[in-house]
């Protein structure tokens, strides 16, 4: 099911094209025209639209800039649509507008969904939208990563099931390795932190502070340091309140208040007001007696022992040492000790945690090794089936002696810890397994298989890619294919087979083909002709859709160079009928 369709391209001031609109549709579209009319500019335009290299020489002489605009119908859930929206593009009712502007000075700008974007984003979208196969521009399956992904899809459940397990195990291994790396690379820092915590906890344990102890000791130190003055003050105050036995003549507060109380008691019955005052005077007398008694006790109990003062100051110094380093008071020091003990427990558990993670890492590496071997076996089996199918296709495309194959290799690593064990060897691995997958071509008997990009000429390469795409039809997610010169160097029956295979590929994807062979064009669902006119000063090219009589006339021109030749017309009608019957 096609989820994205290139609906239209507008090309302005590019090469021989002044201003042309290429309207496309699902299925198979053939683009034809006279040599030099600008057919290849269609491919070039699409290449620019998909982030290809911008050559200012492509700008039409006299123009300031060339502009290519494309309208693509996309599924909002497709990777291309999601990536475009992430970049700020807007989708207009499921349509993505893409444009590329190339100035004559060489500056290039790109827009997607009305938003200016880096040109590189167009290349990212191209991976999920269009595969271009031309003489000078090969994308898609020429990249080993795409070849591996396509082979995996071609293999089906034989690869997808172990690959899902492998991907999950690989993700867990990365997490475990990251945790292990964090523990081991920071081992020195963590050991230093643990030593500091132990030292601090030992210091606190040696002092054994109590909550609020520092405040209590400060008060006791104040008393001990001023014992004599405190005792003198208490004794003097006691004498003032209760009298001094050594000075019977001295007047004291207790005696005076007692006299006042007796005088009021003698007359209290005559006036309630004085009775109340008498009671209050009695209360004062009692209070004075209590205070005097406490002063006497305070003076007798006051400890002036200098040894006790020294002990208190020593204890205070020990506590002050802790509060300078671990907290503002004894309570804060104890809180620091509690937190540090918990942290030290974590740090001291690192060795156990490292052992656990190491065992888990080794188990995951063993699991990955076994799964990677399953992937290699499944890919190897699928690659053999693929090679047979593509080789059979090439035999029908005028390449009867060509052979294709997959090279599935693993790269050994010198450090076993950097790889996984597959087949008794330590090999490099990644998120998709341990295999490097590459498609190879031997174009004729005796030729050494080489990567397809190097083992074929331009025309051969397009046919190889056509054969590959036909075999992979339904497994590769790219919804649009564009072939330029796929029919180079062939004719007759081979050309018919090229057309038939393009039509087969178009059952599941949009296919656009630039061709000069009527046998290929006859299979198209839509036939566009690039026509060039000349008014003496400016050359313009237009793109017209050929239907009915117009299409027969264009096929006649392609067959015999004579649009009105009755023999050519009859042959063109025969081609169309044969194409309809041979799809």
């Amino acid at each position: 099911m096609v989820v994205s369709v290139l609906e239209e391209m507008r090309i302005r001031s590019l090469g021989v094209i002044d201003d042309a609109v290429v309207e496309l549709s699902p299925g198979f579209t053939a683009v034809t025209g006279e040599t030099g009319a600008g057919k290849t500019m269609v491919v070039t335009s699409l290449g620019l639209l998909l982030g290809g290299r911008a050559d200012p020489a492509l700008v039409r002489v006299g123009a300031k800039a060339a502009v290519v605009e494309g309208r693509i119908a996309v599924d909002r859930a497709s990777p291309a649509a999601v990536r475009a929206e992430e970049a700020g593009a807007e989708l207009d009712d499921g349509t993505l507008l893409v444009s590329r502007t190339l100035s004559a000075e060489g500056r290039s700008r790109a827009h997607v969904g009305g938003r200016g974007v880096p040109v590189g984003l167009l290349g990212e979208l191209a991976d999920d939208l269009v595969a271009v196969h031309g003489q000078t521009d090969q994308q898609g399956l020429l990249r080993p990563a795409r070849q591996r992904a396509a082979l995996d899809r071609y293999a089906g459940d034989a690869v997808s099931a172990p690959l899902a397990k492998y991907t999950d195990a690989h993700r867990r291994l990365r997490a475990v390795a990251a945790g292990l790396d964090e523990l081991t690379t920071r081992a020195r820092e963590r050991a230093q932190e643990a030593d500091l915590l132990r030292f601090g906890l030992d210091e606190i344990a040696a002092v054994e502070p109590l909550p609020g102890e520092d405040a209590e000791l400060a008060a006791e130190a104040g008393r001990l340091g001023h014992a004599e003055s405190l005792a003198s003050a208490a004794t003097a105050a006691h004498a003032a309140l209760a009298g001094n036995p050594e000075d019977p003549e001295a007047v004291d507060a207790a005696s005076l208040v007692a006299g006042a109380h007796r005088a009021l008691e003698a007359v209290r019955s005559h006036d309630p007001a004085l009775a109340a005052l008498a009671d209050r005077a009695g209360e004062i007398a009692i209070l004075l007696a209590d205070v005097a008694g406490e002063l006497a006790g305070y003076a007798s109990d006051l400890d002036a022992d200098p040894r006790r003062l020294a002990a208190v100051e020593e204890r205070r110094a020990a506590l002050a040492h802790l509060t300078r380093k671990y907290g503002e008071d004894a309570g804060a020091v104890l809180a620091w000790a509690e937190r540090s003990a918990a942290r030290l427990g974590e740090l001291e558990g690192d060795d156990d945690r490292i052992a656990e993670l190491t065992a888990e890492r080794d188990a995951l590496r063993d699991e990955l090794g076994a799964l990677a071997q399953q992937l290699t076996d499944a890919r190897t089996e699928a690659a053999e089936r693929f090679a047979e199918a593509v080789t059979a296709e090439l035999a029908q495309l005028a390449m009867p002696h060509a052979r294709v194959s997959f090279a599935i290799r693993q790269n050994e690593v010198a450090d076993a810890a950097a790889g996984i064990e597959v087949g008794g060897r330590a090999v490099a691995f990644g998120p998709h397994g341990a295999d490097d997958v590459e498609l190879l071509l031997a174009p004729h008997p005796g030729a050494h298989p080489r990567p397809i990009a190097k083992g074929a000429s331009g025309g051969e390469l397009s046919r190889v890619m056509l054969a590959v795409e036909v075999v992979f039809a339904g497994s590769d997610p790219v919804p649009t294919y564009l072939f330029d010169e796929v029919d180079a160097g062939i004719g007759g029956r081979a050309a018919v087979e090229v057309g038939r295979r393009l039509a087969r590929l178009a059952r599941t994807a949009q296919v656009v083909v630039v061709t000069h062979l009527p046998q290929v064009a006859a299979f198209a669902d839509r036939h566009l002709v690039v026509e060039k006119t000349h008014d003496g000063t400016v050359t313009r090219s237009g793109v017209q859709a050929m239907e009915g009589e117009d299409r027969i006339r264009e096929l006649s021109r392609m067959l015999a160079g004579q649009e009105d030749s009755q023999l050519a017309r009859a042959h063109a009608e025969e081609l169309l009928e044969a194409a309809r019957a041979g799809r």
Side-chain angles (χ1 to χ4, degrees):
M1 178 180 176
V2 178
V3 295
S4 300
V5 174
L6 179 62
E7 297 180 328
E8 180 182 282
M9 278 197 310
R10 184 177 183 184
I11 309 166
R12 287 179 287 174
S13 303
L14 187 71
V16 298
I17 299 180
D18 180 39
D19 192 343
V21 176
V22 181
E23 295 183 354
L24 303 170
S25 62
F28 178 7
T29 299
V31 181
T32 65
E34 294 280 4
T35 301
K39 300 188 301 297
T40 301
M41 284 297 102
V42 175
V43 180
T44 302
S45 299
L46 187 56
L48 286 173
L49 206 59
L50 300 175
R53 187 178 65 87
D55 184 355
L58 295 172
V59 179
R60 185 176 174 82
V61 176
K64 294 182 179 179
V67 180
V68 182
E69 299 170 320
R71 187 175 74 239
I72 306 172
V74 296
D75 186 330
R76 282 188 175 274
S78 67
V82 172
R83 181 67 185 91
E85 289 187 318
E86 288 176 350
E90 294 183 3
L91 270 65
D92 183 10
D93 194 24
T95 299
L96 186 64
L97 301 179
V98 181
S99 69
R100 178 85 176 274
T101 301
L102 172 62
S103 72
E105 290 79 20
R107 292 187 300 274
S108 177
R109 299 194 309 275
H111 290 80
V112 175
R115 177 66 61 89
V117 299
V119 173
L121 178 64
L122 300 183
E124 293 181 33
L125 299 181
D127 286 343
D128 297 306
L129 292 175
V130 181
V132 179
H133 302 300
Q135 294 276 20
T136 60
D137 186 13
Q138 293 288 344
Q139 299 179 9
L141 283 173
L142 284 186
R143 290 193 291 272
R146 178 59 63 81
Q147 293 172 8
R148 189 263 315 148
L151 178 60
D152 287 352
R153 286 188 292 274
Y154 180 79
D157 290 341
V159 165
S160 62
L163 182 58
K165 296 178 181 178
Y166 179 95
T167 301
D168 180 64
H170 185 268
R171 182 170 52 251
R172 287 186 285 127
L173 177 61
R174 291 186 62 183
V176 168
L180 190 57
D181 183 64
E182 196 274 339
L183 287 175
T184 54
T185 57
R186 290 190 56 206
R188 178 177 298 176
E189 297 176 18
R190 297 168 76 90
Q192 291 173 345
E193 182 185 359
D195 285 344
L196 288 174
L197 292 176
R198 288 191 195 94
F199 181 80
L201 290 170
D202 288 344
E203 279 194 317
I204 295 172
V207 175
E208 295 183 341
L210 300 174
E213 182 183 8
D214 46 349
E216 295 176 0
L217 289 174
E220 185 178 0
R223 289 194 304 272
L224 293 171
H226 300 84
E228 292 184 2
S229 59
L230 291 174
S232 176
T235 300
H238 178 270
L241 293 178
N244 186 351
E246 296 180 359
D247 186 9
E249 302 262 336
V251 179
D252 60 85
S255 298
L256 294 174
V257 171
H261 181 250
R262 287 193 300 271
L264 292 174
E265 281 291 321
V267 295
R268 66 177 296 156
S269 59
H270 303 301
D271 187 350
L274 283 180
L277 292 173
D279 291 339
R280 292 173 65 185
E283 293 174 358
I284 292 173
I286 295 171
L287 181 60
L288 284 173
D290 290 342
V291 173
E294 291 183 12
L295 286 170
Y298 176 86
S300 64
D301 292 340
L302 191 61
D303 187 1
D305 184 359
R307 289 177 297 179
R308 174 57 185 169
L309 178 59
V312 168
E313 292 296 349
E314 183 179 354
R315 179 67 175 174
R316 290 186 68 201
L319 290 174
H321 176 74
L322 297 181
T323 55
R324 281 195 303 270
K325 297 173 67 175
Y326 307 114
E328 60 184 13
D329 55 31
V333 170
L334 291 170
W336 181 91
E338 183 177 358
R339 293 193 304 270
S340 298
R343 174 60 177 164
L344 183 59
E346 294 177 6
L347 295 174
E348 289 178 336
D350 279 357
D351 290 343
D352 293 338
R353 182 60 178 156
I354 288 174
E356 292 174 3
L357 290 178
T358 300
E360 185 176 1
R361 181 200 62 188
D362 294 343
L364 285 169
R365 287 161 61 87
D366 291 342
E367 180 181 355
L368 285 174
L371 290 169
Q373 184 64 64
Q374 292 182 39
L375 289 173
T376 299
D377 295 342
R379 285 168 177 158
T380 300
E381 189 277 330
E384 292 175 356
R385 290 188 286 112
F386 164 86
E388 293 177 2
V390 175
T391 299
E393 290 289 334
L394 290 177
Q396 303 299 320
L397 299 176
M399 296 180 68
H401 303 297
R403 296 290 182 273
V404 295
S405 60
F406 266 116
I408 301 177
R409 312 181 185 92
Q410 296 84 36
N411 295 320
E412 292 192 40
V413 293
D415 182 6
I420 57 176
E421 184 175 332
V422 179
R425 299 175 300 145
V427 300
F429 66 104
H432 305 289
D435 300 321
D436 284 339
V437 176
E438 191 167 32
L439 187 59
L440 307 178
L441 171 70
H444 53 80
H448 184 70
R450 302 178 64 197
I452 55 175
K454 301 177 182 178
S457 64
E460 289 176 332
L461 182 55
S462 288
R463 275 175 278 160
V464 171
M465 298 313 296
L466 172 59
V468 169
E469 300 290 14
V470 169
V471 172
F472 275 141
S475 64
D476 197 334
V478 178
T480 298
Y481 299 92
L482 193 147
F483 291 90
D484 182 25
E485 302 292 346
V486 68
D487 48 17
I490 64 171
R493 181 173 177 273
V496 173
E497 293 300 328
V498 168
R500 179 176 289 114
R501 278 152 181 78
L502 289 167
R504 184 188 306 171
L505 183 61
R507 295 172 188 170
T508 56
Q510 181 184 36
V511 177
V512 181
V513 180
V514 177
T515 181
H516 66 278
L517 291 182
Q519 296 95 325
V520 173
F523 279 89
D525 302 304
R526 182 177 178 82
H527 189 159
L528 302 179
V529 175
V530 181
E531 297 177 329
K532 181 174 66 174
T533 61
H534 193 274
D535 60 5
T537 56
V538 179
T539 299
R540 292 183 174 86
S541 291
V543 181
Q544 302 293 326
M546 297 289 105
E547 297 180 359
E549 187 64 26
D550 291 335
R551 187 175 187 187
I552 292 175
R553 187 162 50 252
E554 171 62 12
L555 290 175
S556 299
R557 180 198 65 77
M558 297 173 71
L559 281 164
Q562 299 177 3
E563 300 177 1
D564 298 324
S565 166
Q566 293 299 317
L567 183 61
R569 287 174 58 83
H571 191 182
E573 292 173 352
E574 183 180 358
L575 272 179
L576 285 172
E577 185 62 33
R580 295 190 189 99
R583 281 176 173 273

